[in-house]
Amino acid sequence: MTFSLAIVGRPNVGKSTLFNRLVGKKLALVDDRPGVTRDRREGEGRLGDLTFRIVDTAGLEEATPASLEGRMRAQTEAAIGDCDAILFMIDARIGLTPTDRAFADLVRKAGKPVILVANKSEGRGGEAGTLEAFGLGLGDPIPLSAEHGEGLSDLYDAICDALPEQTRLEEEDEEAEDEADEIPAEGEVEPEKPRRPIKVAVLGRPNAGKSTLINKLLGEDRLLTGPEAGITRDSISVNVTYAGIPLEVFDTAGLRKRSRIDDKLEKLSAADALRAMKFAEVVVILIDATRPFEEQDLRIADLVAREGRALVIGYNKADLVPRGGLATRLREEIDHLLPQVKGVPIVPLSGLMGHGLDKLVAAIASAHKVWNKRVATNPLNRFLQQVTENHPPPAVSGRRIKLRYMTQPKARPPSFVLFCSRTDAVPESYIRYLVNGIRETFDLPGVPIRLTLREKDNPYAD
């Protein structure tokens, strides 16, 4: 069962609420005000025994093509063209509006199966609007409450009627199952498993060019872009394979200083961006070359490091600034301001022109490899012996600190445990000395390194 459904309708009829209900997660931002959704968001929907791709779209509005609303409408029309069936949604409590009638004609011209959904039909308040929906000529309306989950069984029947071929349960083929379970004969090579995509979150200040960069990676205008700052609200994930490297890229809303965020919707967008960062493996911080390196960029980078994610810095719009000594100046400035991720890759690029994308993807793959790196215990302890001979730990209160041995229990990010005496007495400066030594000796640039001190139980403590 592989088919796709697009939820369309005018703003604020509950499209994102139904999307979250079918996906089973609160992925799309939901608010009482109209026009919250701007980009089209895709997810894996489930309804009974049906599994399908569901697309949430921006509200249809009458606007000129060059305006923001016009570009949002173009994204919705693209979703209508790609789907197998359309869920056309109206607000049953308000009833039909001239906008509903105008866009019903647009949906009818698409030539796709249309399922008319009358949302907010709980109670008696939606009965009149549901009956009024017959006038659209799109078939029988389905009374539904996306907020409370009422009417989903009727929606299931309507999807099965609209797409009988795609929703028909396939008969189990026992022979095919037996063939799939067969062990390859001697000399045969098992097919390689598909490589899992690297999860990449693109973060930065508003209007840094994040959506433009991802569109250039995809080779199509998948995400909404424009000169206005703060266009992106939801964290949208797209899959792309560039130069043979599979990526799952998350486009996020621009992050401003917390003191400047007053709007509730911007707070939700910022929280969604930070959630995408926590689920990512590599984070690309995009800096606008026409605006100097600011404190907000440092805050974002520090947040990524504390979360333990691999880091790549993209210096976007580099074609708009003179290049004299740019790379050297950036490297010195960032290594000085971000010592916790010293050696982080810095890639000058232009998302609009497509310059530097090869280097960016190569830096992402390299950072992911370093983030997953493991170091054997023997080299670690040889390193520990060498650094303590060169610079032994200081004596605190007249007593020496004994460093016994070191091991790496896990990666992602590289995490090390140092067994020693008097863990509370080891100075912070000496811990930084050990971390910098680990980074330099075992080639771990641009990733946060965790070093935990542990003290063995003293058998004579009692």
Side-chain angles (χ1 to χ4, degrees):
M1 291 180 287
T2 54
F3 61 93
S4 60
L5 303 174
I7 309 174
V8 301
R10 62 180 177 81
N12 210 28
V13 295
K15 298 185 293 297
S16 295
T17 305
L18 178 60
F19 175 85
N20 288 341
R21 172 70 62 179
L22 294 176
V23 172
K25 303 175 185 176
K26 292 185 178 180
L27 293 182
L29 296 183
V30 177
D31 195 68
D32 292 336
R33 76 186 78 177
V36 172
T37 303
R38 288 177 172 173
D39 281 293
R40 65 182 194 265
R41 175 192 281 276
E42 299 179 4
E44 184 180 343
R46 291 181 179 275
L47 187 60
D49 56 3
L50 300 180
T51 302
F52 47 88
R53 185 171 64 93
I54 186 75
V55 184
D56 183 24
T57 64
L60 289 164
E61 295 184 73
E62 292 283 359
T64 58
S67 65
L68 177 60
E69 290 77 12
R71 300 197 299 274
M72 291 161 57
R73 175 172 173 171
Q75 291 284 327
T76 301
E77 290 175 350
I80 292 174
D82 293 340
C83 70
D84 295 310
I86 301 168
L87 298 180
F88 187 77
M89 183 176 285
I90 66 165
D91 188 336
R93 292 187 176 274
I94 294 178
L96 289 186
T97 66
T99 307
D100 289 322
R101 298 181 187 277
F103 291 121
D105 294 335
L106 174 68
V107 168
R108 191 180 293 109
K109 291 176 183 177
K112 304 285 181 71
V114 180
I115 301 169
L116 181 59
V117 176
N119 193 29
K120 308 180 185 179
S121 295
E122 65 273 16
R124 295 184 177 180
E127 291 180 359
T130 303
L131 295 174
E132 196 176 346
F134 281 95
L136 291 175
L138 295 176
D140 295 347
I142 299 171
L144 187 77
S145 173
E147 179 70 26
H148 300 97
E150 298 176 5
L152 293 179
S153 59
D154 295 333
L155 179 61
Y156 174 90
D157 295 337
I159 293 173
C160 292
D161 293 339
L163 299 170
E165 290 295 325
Q166 291 90 332
T167 56
R168 188 182 70 243
L169 289 174
E170 298 180 0
E171 296 180 2
E172 294 183 359
D173 191 349
E174 295 181 1
E175 294 181 3
E177 287 184 3
D178 292 341
E179 290 177 5
D181 295 337
E182 284 181 2
I183 300 173
E186 187 176 351
E188 292 184 5
V189 180
E190 290 188 30
E192 290 187 5
K193 294 181 180 180
R195 187 176 171 186
R196 191 174 61 85
I198 302 172
K199 293 185 178 180
V200 182
V202 183
L203 267 62
R205 288 175 289 168
N207 216 21
K210 299 181 288 297
S211 300
T212 304
L213 172 67
I214 297 174
N215 281 343
K216 187 60 71 172
L217 281 171
L218 284 167
E220 61 174 305
D221 292 333
R222 169 65 179 80
L223 301 170
L224 196 63
T225 61
E228 305 91 349
I231 290 179
T232 304
R233 284 176 174 165
D234 290 89
S235 295
I236 308 294
S237 71
V238 294
N239 289 297
V240 57
T241 300
Y242 195 94
I245 300 174
L247 305 172
E248 184 181 359
V249 187
F250 292 82
D251 183 28
T252 63
L255 297 174
R256 296 198 300 163
K257 290 183 180 179
R258 185 181 296 179
S259 59
R260 295 184 180 179
I261 300 177
D262 298 323
D263 186 45
K264 173 191 172 185
L265 191 55
E266 189 174 357
K267 290 180 181 177
L268 293 174
S269 299
D272 202 26
L274 296 178
R275 186 182 64 85
M277 180 265 293
K278 292 178 181 179
F279 282 98
E281 297 169 329
V282 181
V283 176
V284 176
I285 297 181
L286 214 58
I287 299 173
D288 189 341
T290 60
R291 298 160 63 190
F293 200 68
E294 292 183 359
E295 183 184 357
Q296 180 64 3
D297 298 314
L298 290 176
R299 289 173 185 258
I300 297 172
D302 182 62
L303 188 63
V304 173
R306 283 191 278 117
E307 197 61 38
R309 300 294 175 258
L311 184 63
V312 174
I313 292 182
Y315 201 66
N316 196 25
K317 308 180 187 178
D319 54 330
L320 302 180
V321 296
R323 287 201 172 188
L326 173 66
T328 305
R329 188 172 67 253
L330 272 176
R331 170 54 62 200
E332 292 175 353
E333 186 177 4
I334 289 176
D335 282 350
H336 173 69
L337 295 173
L338 296 171
Q340 65 271 39
V341 286
K342 191 175 181 179
V344 57
I346 304 171
V347 184
L349 53 91
S350 171
L352 184 62
M353 306 303 295
H355 300 157
L357 296 185
D358 293 337
K359 294 180 180 178
L360 178 65
V361 174
I364 290 171
S366 176
H368 184 259
K369 186 177 179 181
V370 173
W371 192 62
N372 284 276
K373 190 171 184 179
R374 283 186 175 273
V375 182
T377 303
N378 280 345
L380 272 176
N381 286 288
R382 285 197 297 269
F383 156 79
L384 182 63
Q385 182 180 359
Q386 184 66 39
V387 294
T388 50
E389 287 176 359
N390 295 340
H391 188 168
V396 180
S397 302
R399 295 169 58 195
R400 276 282 176 201
I401 298 171
K402 296 179 182 179
L403 306 184
R404 293 189 169 89
Y405 67 95
M406 182 185 291
T407 185
Q408 183 186 1
K410 72 181 192 73
R412 304 167 67 92
S415 302
F416 303 89
V417 176
L418 173 61
F419 289 88
C420 62
S421 63
R422 305 178 63 205
T423 55
D424 55 341
V426 180
E428 192 67 31
S429 58
Y430 197 77
I431 295 176
R432 285 198 302 270
Y433 163 71
L434 292 175
V435 168
N436 290 335
I438 292 171
R439 187 186 304 280
E440 206 171 306
T441 305
F442 300 106
D443 193 22
L444 299 172
V447 297
I449 293 176
R450 304 280 191 260
L451 180 59
T452 306
L453 304 182
R454 283 190 189 171
E455 193 171 339
K456 279 194 169 184
D457 294 334
N458 184 357
Y460 304 104
D462 297 331

